[in-house]
Short mmCIF file of all heavy atoms in Angstrom, two decimals:
data_model
loop_
_atom_site.label_atom_id
_atom_site.label_comp_id
_atom_site.label_asym_id
_atom_site.label_seq_id
_atom_site.Cartn_x
_atom_site.Cartn_y
_atom_site.Cartn_z
N ALA A 227 10.33 -4.55 -27.93
CA ALA A 227 10.11 -3.48 -26.95
C ALA A 227 9.40 -4.02 -25.70
O ALA A 227 9.73 -3.64 -24.57
CB ALA A 227 9.30 -2.35 -27.57
N ALA A 228 8.42 -4.90 -25.88
CA ALA A 228 7.72 -5.50 -24.74
C ALA A 228 8.67 -6.34 -23.90
O ALA A 228 8.63 -6.31 -22.66
CB ALA A 228 6.54 -6.33 -25.22
N ARG A 229 9.54 -7.08 -24.57
CA ARG A 229 10.52 -7.91 -23.85
C ARG A 229 11.47 -7.03 -23.04
O ARG A 229 11.80 -7.32 -21.88
CB ARG A 229 11.29 -8.77 -24.85
CG ARG A 229 12.12 -9.89 -24.20
CD ARG A 229 12.81 -10.71 -25.27
NE ARG A 229 11.86 -11.24 -26.25
CZ ARG A 229 11.82 -10.85 -27.53
NH1 ARG A 229 12.66 -9.93 -27.97
NH2 ARG A 229 10.94 -11.37 -28.34
N ALA A 230 11.91 -5.92 -23.66
CA ALA A 230 12.80 -5.00 -22.95
C ALA A 230 12.11 -4.34 -21.76
O ALA A 230 12.71 -4.15 -20.70
CB ALA A 230 13.32 -3.93 -23.92
N LEU A 231 10.81 -3.98 -21.93
CA LEU A 231 10.08 -3.37 -20.83
C LEU A 231 9.91 -4.35 -19.67
O LEU A 231 10.08 -3.97 -18.50
CB LEU A 231 8.71 -2.89 -21.31
CG LEU A 231 7.82 -2.24 -20.27
CD1 LEU A 231 8.46 -0.98 -19.72
CD2 LEU A 231 6.44 -1.93 -20.83
N ASN A 232 9.58 -5.60 -19.98
CA ASN A 232 9.45 -6.60 -18.91
C ASN A 232 10.76 -6.79 -18.17
O ASN A 232 10.80 -6.90 -16.93
CB ASN A 232 8.97 -7.93 -19.50
CG ASN A 232 7.52 -7.86 -19.97
OD1 ASN A 232 6.73 -7.11 -19.42
ND2 ASN A 232 7.18 -8.64 -20.97
N THR A 233 11.86 -6.84 -18.92
CA THR A 233 13.17 -7.00 -18.29
C THR A 233 13.50 -5.79 -17.41
O THR A 233 14.02 -5.94 -16.29
CB THR A 233 14.25 -7.17 -19.35
OG1 THR A 233 13.93 -8.30 -20.18
CG2 THR A 233 15.61 -7.41 -18.72
N MET A 234 13.18 -4.60 -17.89
CA MET A 234 13.45 -3.39 -17.12
C MET A 234 12.64 -3.36 -15.84
O MET A 234 13.16 -3.03 -14.76
CB MET A 234 13.14 -2.15 -17.96
CG MET A 234 13.42 -0.83 -17.25
SD MET A 234 12.84 0.59 -18.20
CE MET A 234 11.07 0.33 -18.12
N LEU A 235 11.37 -3.74 -15.91
CA LEU A 235 10.54 -3.74 -14.71
C LEU A 235 11.04 -4.76 -13.69
O LEU A 235 11.02 -4.50 -12.48
CB LEU A 235 9.08 -4.04 -15.09
CG LEU A 235 8.38 -2.98 -15.96
CD1 LEU A 235 6.94 -3.39 -16.25
CD2 LEU A 235 8.40 -1.62 -15.29
N GLU A 236 11.49 -5.91 -14.17
CA GLU A 236 12.04 -6.90 -13.25
C GLU A 236 13.30 -6.38 -12.57
O GLU A 236 13.49 -6.55 -11.35
CB GLU A 236 12.35 -8.19 -14.01
CG GLU A 236 11.12 -8.96 -14.47
CD GLU A 236 11.49 -10.21 -15.24
OE1 GLU A 236 12.70 -10.44 -15.42
OE2 GLU A 236 10.57 -10.95 -15.64
N ARG A 237 14.16 -5.72 -13.33
CA ARG A 237 15.39 -5.18 -12.75
C ARG A 237 15.09 -4.07 -11.75
O ARG A 237 15.74 -3.98 -10.69
CB ARG A 237 16.29 -4.65 -13.87
CG ARG A 237 16.88 -5.75 -14.75
CD ARG A 237 17.69 -5.17 -15.87
NE ARG A 237 18.29 -6.21 -16.70
CZ ARG A 237 18.98 -5.98 -17.81
NH1 ARG A 237 19.16 -4.72 -18.23
NH2 ARG A 237 19.48 -6.97 -18.51
N ILE A 238 14.11 -3.22 -12.07
CA ILE A 238 13.76 -2.14 -11.15
C ILE A 238 13.22 -2.72 -9.84
O ILE A 238 13.61 -2.31 -8.74
CB ILE A 238 12.73 -1.20 -11.78
CG1 ILE A 238 13.37 -0.41 -12.94
CG2 ILE A 238 12.15 -0.23 -10.74
CD1 ILE A 238 12.40 0.46 -13.69
#
Side-chain angles (χ1 to χ4, degrees):
R229 193 178 305 112
L231 179 62
N232 290 331
T233 303
M234 182 187 67
L235 295 181
E236 290 179 358
R237 291 177 178 175
I238 291 175

